[in-house]
Structures are given as structure tokens and as C-alpha cells.
Amino acid sequence: MRVAVAGGTGTTGRRLVTALTAAGHEPVVLARSAGANLVTGDGLDDMLKGVDAVIDASNVTTTGRKKSVAFFDAAGRNLLAAEERAGVGHHVALSIVGIDRVDFGYYEGKRRQEELVRAGSVPWTVLRATQFHEFTPQTLGQVPGPVAVVPRMLCRPVAVAEVAQTLVRLAEAPPAGMAPELAGPKDELLVDQARRYLRAAGRRRLVLPVRLPGAAGTEMAAGGLLPEGTGPRGTQTFDEWLASEVGPGRDGLGTADGAAVRPAPGHGRA
């Protein structure tokens, strides 16, 4: 198949391109650097010619409600309209477990994205996944200095490569609506993950746990971002990811150890 990847240069998008190629498909990267702008719609019609399916792994770096909704509304409308004109047969969107239970600003944008997909004319599948392993170093990168401020959050981290493989399998199958939620193999406290990450990376920082204000912080701490019911579970644990990706000269993000990292809310996507 010819499969377009929206956000194909990001953390998930790059893994999707690799997974699609390994499965014998032809990936088409939809990104500004490739000549396609999701927010304005420029370049989408040309890029989607002959495309069988689209996997939307696009993202915006913000925790704000207004910016998140504006991005996902514009990107979703433009992408789905271009897919309809091109006759794309399947739209697969990556979303986040718990966004309808945790009233966090960024999540309202993801809810808007899902609404547009469900209301659109292109047959669709939505996969909600939990936070990626990379979410921990990205959280630590938000506040530099000797003290690391880390939200109290109960999560079940999953390997981004396993998310990419699941998205490819969903794109190969008929549209399924809301797919079973994907999560990692083990519940973790983000604060504990942060401490283990710092030890593995050989960094000395004091981890200060904080509860985010309001109902969203309470829900995050109580497990509002954990999957409900049964569904596919990844196999790579956070500690296995640390052993393979983090250490001297490696930060688990594909950047030099100690490099500045912009926060990526949601899964932990650049």
C-alpha cells in the first residue's frame, strides 16, 4: 500500500516510516519539510495522490487548551478534506488513553481531533495509546537546573516502536472505529521513572514531586490515564528501555546527552 504519515518527521512518525517500509509499504511523509502543511492545507492534495491510507501522528508542542484545539481542528479538517478529495480509503489516528477522563488543556485538542474523525466521511480507526517511555526525559527537560519538578502521575508507559507497529497493522486492516486501547506492560509512577532515568543517565538532580492543580492533577495521580478494560499490551518495560537507550552520551531521545529538550505533552512526542 501507499500510506501517508502525517507528522512523519516526529518521534512516532519516524518509527512509522521505518515500520511501513519493513512491512513492504510505500510511506509518504506529510510534514512542512516535505512540502505539506497541515495547518494551512498547502501541498496536501498533491501528496495524497494515489495514497491508500493515512496515519495521523501529528502533534503540537503546547499544554494550552486554545493552541491545542486550534492546531488539531485546522489540521484535522484540512487533512480529512484532502483525503476525501483524493479518495483515501482509511484514516488511522493516534490518540491518548484517558483524554475523556482528564480535563487537561492539551487533551481538549485531541478530543477535537477524534470528533472530526468520527464525523468525517473517510472510513476511520482511532488508536488510543498511553505515554511513551520518552515522556520521562521530555518531562525532565521542561525545567532545567538542579531540581527536577515532576508531576504526580500514574501511567503505563509503552514503547513508541510498538505503537508504530500497531498503527501499521491497523492501517493494513479494514477500518475499525475505536480500536482497543494500547498500553505498556506495567504501571509506573512518573516520579519513580524520573529518578531511575537520572541514575541511568548519570545525572545528579533532586526530583521534586508536585500534583498539578485542579481536577486534572487529581485524575492523573489517581490513574485517569491508565487503560480501562482489556486490550493489546506492549512488551518492553521502562527499565528495558533505559538499558537499551539511556547512558553516557545517550538520552533516549535521539539527541546528545544533556541536550535541551522541548516538552511534548501527551505521549511524549517531539
Side-chain angles (χ1 to χ4, degrees):
M1 294 194 305
R2 197 162 191 254
V3 182
V5 180
T9 58
T11 300
T12 311
R14 294 194 302 269
R15 301 293 177 86
L16 277 167
V17 169
T18 299
L20 285 165
T21 302
H25 304 300
E26 178 188 352
V28 177
V29 173
L30 302 180
R32 287 193 301 271
S33 60
N37 190 317
L38 296 176
V39 174
T40 65
D42 293 341
L44 290 178
D45 287 337
D46 288 338
M47 298 288 284
L48 290 178
K49 290 178 180 177
V51 164
D52 300 291
V54 170
I55 302 177
D56 186 2
S58 61
N59 189 41
V60 60
T61 302
T62 184
T63 57
R65 192 179 307 269
K66 184 176 180 179
K67 185 175 179 180
S68 178
V69 172
F71 172 81
F72 286 111
D73 186 81
R77 288 180 184 277
N78 288 329
L79 185 57
L80 290 165
E83 290 176 28
E84 184 177 3
R85 291 191 294 270
V88 173
H90 192 182
H91 179 97
V92 181
L94 174 61
S95 191
I96 304 170
V97 169
I99 60 172
D100 47 2
R101 299 189 298 271
V102 179
D103 189 22
F104 187 57
Y106 174 78
Y107 296 160
E108 186 165 330
K110 295 298 291 183
R111 291 194 294 268
R112 181 59 178 153
Q113 179 188 37
E114 289 189 6
E115 290 170 2
L116 290 171
V117 171
R118 289 194 295 267
S121 61
V122 180
W124 58 275
T125 301
V126 171
L127 174 68
R128 288 183 175 181
T130 53
Q131 283 68 36
F132 303 158
H133 297 314
E134 289 83 354
F135 183 72
T136 297
Q138 289 178 334
T139 299
L140 288 167
Q142 292 186 41
V143 182
V147 178
V149 179
V150 178
R152 294 188 182 274
M153 179 187 294
L154 184 61
C155 53
R156 182 171 280 202
V158 65
V160 65
E162 293 177 323
V163 175
Q165 291 164 3
T166 302
L167 287 167
V168 171
R169 289 195 293 270
L170 289 171
E172 293 171 331
M178 296 299 296
E181 295 178 338
L182 173 63
K186 182 181 177 182
D187 289 355
E188 296 275 7
L189 292 172
L190 184 59
V191 170
D192 291 343
Q193 290 177 261
R195 292 182 175 127
R196 280 144 56 200
Y197 172 86
L198 290 169
R199 284 197 299 268
R203 302 182 193 173
R204 292 182 177 272
R205 296 182 69 186
L206 174 66
V207 174
L208 178 64
V210 296
R211 177 168 291 186
L212 295 180
T218 300
E219 287 292 333
M220 286 182 182
L225 296 177
L226 297 181
E228 293 184 327
T230 60
R233 298 294 179 258
T235 60
Q236 186 189 53
T237 66
F238 181 72
D239 287 329
E240 289 170 341
W241 176 80
L242 284 177
S244 64
E245 301 292 336
V246 180
R250 298 175 299 157
D251 66 0
L253 293 167
T255 59
D257 191 21
V261 180
R262 294 189 304 165
H267 299 102
R269 292 176 280 156

